[in-house]
């Protein structure tokens, strides 16, 4: 698929990996509509030359209205990039007792259910194209306190093949990217010392990932029609202990 004929939605596109992806696609000649609930979403979209819709990815009506806005603005849709999500930390059994069910369900609802909700509704609005979802290395190397997060991200990785099989007749590919440790505003808030410690575990290059590198892979997935039904790790050979 040509990037200049790409008409994409990017969820979570107002910050972090989503923001980098939205900008990279617009800069390459694609039309992009950002789906986000952040107050800065509309301003960021205007700044990079994208469209914007305030969308809650977990809500069917909200996504449907956002998709209609995107279709009206761009004249069609052939790509959806799901970057919306949350990171949570809570042990299965901690000092204060068992993992709260509410926090587990919230993580699954936003990360996994939200991704699937956008995928199913976007697929219905597409005539051919590609769905790109954001998993995580936590799907395979989950750490202490990541039971909910790892479950949500392994679910996203697990969607790739069956959804690709389901949507083959519609000419829609399905891929996922499993990023390692990337320099995002959320990570930067932890401070340089923490970031340096995390970067030390990366095999090569020994640094945090740049969101632009994630965006570059998403662009390649969009352009490479033979990529389908799998999850690509983007992590500098990082394997979490």
């Amino acid at each position: 698929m040509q990037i200049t004929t790409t008409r994409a939605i990017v969820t979570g596109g107002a910050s972090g990996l989503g923001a980098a992806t939205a900008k990279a696609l617009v800069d390459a000649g694609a039309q992009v509509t950002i789906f986000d609930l952040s107050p800065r979403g509309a301003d960021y979209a205007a700044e990079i030359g994208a469209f914007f819709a305030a969308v809650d990815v977990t809500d069917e009506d909200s996504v449907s209205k956002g998709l209609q806005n995107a279709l009206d603005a761009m004249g069609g849709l052939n790509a959806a990039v799901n970057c919306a999500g949350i990171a949570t930390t809570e042990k299965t059994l901690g000092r204060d007792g068992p993992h709260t069910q509410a926090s587990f369900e919230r993580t699954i609802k936003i990360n996994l259910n939200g991704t699937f909700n956008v995928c199913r509704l976007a697929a219905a609005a597409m005539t051919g194209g590609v769905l790109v979802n954001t998993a995580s290395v936590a799907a395979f190397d989950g750490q202490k306190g990541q039971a909910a997060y790892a479950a949500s991200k392994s679910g996203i990785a697990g969607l790739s093949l069956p959804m690709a099989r389901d949507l083959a007749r519609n000419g829609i590919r399905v891929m996922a990217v499993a990023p390692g440790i990337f320099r995002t505003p959320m990570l930067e808030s932890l401070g340089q010392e923490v970031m340096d410690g995390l970067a030390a575990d990366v095999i090569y290059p020994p640094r945090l990932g740049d969101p632009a590198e994630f965006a570059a892979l998403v662009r390649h997935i969009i352009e490479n029609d033979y990529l389908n039904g799998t999850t690509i790790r983007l992590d500098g050979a990082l394997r979490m202990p």
Side-chain angles (χ1 to χ4, degrees), residues 57-239:
V57 296
T58 69
D59 183 85
E60 181 172 358
D61 288 342
S62 181
V63 174
S64 294
K65 290 176 182 176
L67 284 169
Q68 189 58 58
N69 289 339
L71 290 168
D72 291 343
M74 300 188 296
L77 180 71
N78 55 10
V81 185
N82 283 294
C83 295
I86 59 172
T88 56
T89 303
E90 187 176 348
K91 288 186 177 180
T92 306
L93 183 60
R95 294 177 180 177
D96 298 326
H99 196 301
T100 58
Q101 185 66 13
S103 65
F104 186 91
E105 290 179 358
R106 178 172 179 266
T107 304
I108 297 296
K109 180 179 181 181
I110 295 173
N111 292 0
L112 180 56
N113 294 1
T115 293
F116 183 71
N117 191 37
V118 172
C119 282
R120 69 186 185 89
L121 296 174
M126 289 179 174
T127 303
V130 60
L131 306 172
V132 185
N133 300 322
T134 305
S136 166
V137 295
F140 315 104
D141 308 334
Q143 300 294 288
K144 291 178 181 178
Q146 286 190 325
Y149 183 71
S152 70
K153 293 301 186 177
S154 61
I156 290 173
L159 286 175
S160 298
L161 183 57
M163 284 181 64
R165 287 171 166 165
D166 286 348
L167 296 173
R169 62 182 293 178
N170 305 94
I172 297 172
R173 296 180 291 118
V174 184
M175 288 290 295
V177 178
I181 306 170
F182 274 68
R183 182 181 287 273
T184 61
M186 182 171 60
L187 193 63
E188 288 176 339
S189 69
L190 300 177
Q192 191 62 46
E193 184 177 349
V194 173
M195 290 194 295
D196 289 344
L198 292 170
D201 290 330
V202 181
I203 302 300
Y204 187 82
R207 58 170 175 79
L208 301 178
D210 186 328
E213 293 169 315
F214 177 90
L217 179 54
V218 171
R219 175 181 172 177
H220 180 70
I221 290 170
I222 290 172
E223 293 181 305
N224 190 331
D225 289 338
Y226 209 58
L227 282 172
N228 194 17
T230 194
T231 299
I232 300 174
R233 289 184 69 132
L234 184 65
D235 58 13
L238 172 69
R239 296 297 181 270

Side-chain angles (χ1 to χ4, degrees), residues 1-45:
M1 192 161 78
Q2 302 255 343
I3 202 69
T4 53
T5 60
T6 296
R7 292 168 290 187
I9 59 170
V10 179
T11 74
S15 63
L17 300 179
T21 300
K23 184 177 188 306
L25 295 181
V26 170
D27 288 348
Q31 293 188 71
V32 173
T33 299
I34 289 173
F35 284 8
D36 210 298
L37 289 176
S38 170
R40 73 180 295 267
D43 289 341
Y44 181 69

